[in-house]
Amino acid sequence: MNRSVVVTGASGGIGHLLCKAFLREGVRTYAVSRNPPDIEDALYRQVAVDLSNPGAGLHIAAALTQDSEPSLNMLVHNAGVLYNAPFEALDTGALEEMVEVNFLAPYRLTAALLPWLRGAEVAHTVYIGSMAGFQGSRKYAGLSGYSATKAAGSALMESLAAEYRGENMYFNCLSLGAVQTEMLERAFPGTEGLKPEDICGYIAGFALEGWRYFNGRVLPLSLGDPI
């Protein structure tokens, strides 16, 4: 069976490794970011686009059409932006960028790709959330904007699961705890987290098979504090 996935935020870190994990499973992989990684694989496609652009979804849809893809099996909203600043000092531009990338981009992109998701036998959309936005989790000073926008993204998956229940489309969120990335270092300098290469294998497996067991769920993926 031919399978395909769109992965956002693919320039490095979790996104880059996710692309490699999907390729190992024989999945045609569309890597989306302003500067997609250079990966040599017959099933790999680079899609250079800025997700803060409202037309980004149409650009990605055009790449699918150009490749004659009639359907899309998986959509992984991995792109994220984090600014660590006190609530009263958070720059308006920084907040707007987090809203754009962490919430509006997944919203618009899902809407733009619905025809391809509907065309698949089964389609699974996964939002990579954060324990910072997980309801009831411990919250941290300086992350008010990030936590709120990540919570909005996870609520979007819950809402879409309800909206399209009974169809072939499934929507879930994985709320990550501490993973050793540049984003973690910015938020909690010196903190050690899970290795990205370990977590990416799990995420890819969940995207491929998690729809069989979950829909509209926000699932914590963390060993504990911080986030």
Side-chain angles (χ1 to χ4, degrees), residues 81-85 90 93-95 97-98 142-146 186:
V81 173
L82 181 152
Y83 287 98
N84 189 343
L90 182 61
L95 177 59
E97 185 179 355
M98 286 189 285
L143 298 184
S144 57
Y146 179 73
R186 287 198 299 272

Side-chain angles (χ1 to χ4, degrees), residues 103-183:
F103 174 66
L104 289 179
Y107 191 105
R108 294 172 181 144
L109 182 54
T110 303
L113 297 182
L114 271 179
W116 281 264
L117 295 169
R118 272 206 173 103
E121 184 178 348
V122 173
H124 190 194
T125 297
V126 180
Y127 180 83
I128 304 302
S130 170
M131 289 303 295
F134 187 81
Q135 184 176 11
S137 68
R138 178 181 174 185
K139 300 301 186 287
Y140 296 85
L143 298 184
S144 57
Y146 179 73
S147 295
T149 54
K150 280 297 186 178
S154 62
L156 175 63
M157 294 299 103
E158 293 177 303
S159 300
L160 292 177
E163 183 124 355
Y164 296 103
R165 193 172 303 279
E167 295 194 32
N168 66 317
M169 297 181 290
Y170 298 79
F171 302 85
N172 288 298
C173 169
L174 291 177
S175 294
L176 272 57
V179 181
Q180 202 66 52
T181 61
E182 291 182 9
M183 186 176 290

